Amino acid sequence: MTSDDIAALVRVATRIERGEELTGDLMGQEGVPVALRLVIAAVTLAAADMPVNKKSITTIAPAARSATYRDHAALLDQAKAVIPGLVQAQLGLAGTKVSAADLGRQLEAAHASIEKERRLREEAEERLKHVAAYARELHWQLKPEYEARLRERDEKVRHLRIVPGDVRQGSEA
């Protein structure tokens, strides 16, 4: 950012003070760079205790949304991540706290954490599928051998049965 950029922003502020409406055309006429518009929009949203995201930043910047997403995607990601913390720190110095912006940032961190855990779970499930498939294959390979052992045992084992009455009494009679 140069001193010309700051001068352009001051000229816009002066024209707004005189009663003009803040528009993209006004910012363009005075030569305020889009990057500066985006940063100011992010700061404004955070200070107003509103969610700071790409859509809300480009809506109040004012800047063309599609071109801004294409040309300033990294700046938008950075602004939504760090500007609320900066604004909260500055408001803390002034004795004011911002809660919604901080909650929004915490919510995004929670979403990122949940997404990471889902990805880890999916990876673990994939590994488990591989292990389960291996166990099933091993089971089917060993099943005939196991059944053969059971048949062999059944053939070798003599099953005893109870004989009714006392055998000795029958031989004495």
Side-chain angles (χ1 to χ4, degrees):
M1 181 168 29
T2 66
S3 59
D4 291 338
D5 297 338
I6 301 294
L9 188 60
V10 170
R11 286 192 303 272
V12 167
T14 303
R15 288 176 65 178
I16 291 170
E17 183 67 27
R18 290 183 193 148
E20 289 186 50
E21 186 178 330
L22 175 61
T23 63
D25 289 338
L26 175 61
M27 293 276 210
Q29 288 171 5
E30 293 298 338
V32 177
V34 173
L36 183 56
R37 296 180 202 182
L38 297 174
V39 170
I40 290 171
V43 168
T44 303
L45 287 166
D49 202 17
M50 296 175 66
V52 180
N53 56 47
K54 290 180 180 182
K55 184 180 179 194
S56 62
I57 292 171
T58 57
T59 299
I60 71 161
R65 188 170 293 143
S66 61
T68 303
Y69 283 170
R70 182 185 65 238
D71 298 338
H72 301 286
L75 175 63
L76 286 169
D77 287 334
Q78 235 179 354
K80 74 177 191 164
V82 298
I83 294 292
L86 171 66
V87 170
Q88 186 174 6
Q90 286 187 315
L91 288 174
L93 293 175
T96 308
K97 298 284 183 191
V98 174
S99 60
D102 188 43
L103 291 175
R105 195 177 42 189
Q106 290 175 10
L107 183 61
E108 282 198 25
H111 284 304
S113 176
I114 289 169
E115 185 59 35
K116 177 185 171 192
E117 291 300 322
R118 283 182 179 153
R119 188 177 25 55
L120 290 173
R121 187 199 73 225
E122 288 171 2
E123 291 171 3
E125 286 175 351
E126 281 300 314
R127 286 192 304 273
L128 182 61
K129 283 179 187 177
H130 175 70
V131 170
Y134 177 74
R136 274 192 299 276
E137 183 64 31
L138 190 57
H139 168 76
W140 288 112
Q141 287 176 5
L142 296 175
K143 185 176 180 181
E145 182 181 327
Y146 176 74
E147 288 174 346
R149 286 184 185 173
L150 286 177
R151 280 191 306 275
E152 182 181 328
R153 188 187 76 193
D154 284 344
E155 291 170 3
K156 288 182 182 179
V157 173
R158 183 177 218 185
H159 296 284
L160 301 176
R161 56 192 148 104
I162 301 175
V163 178
D166 190 3
V167 176
R168 289 190 318 192
Q169 286 178 356
S171 58
E172 294 176 0

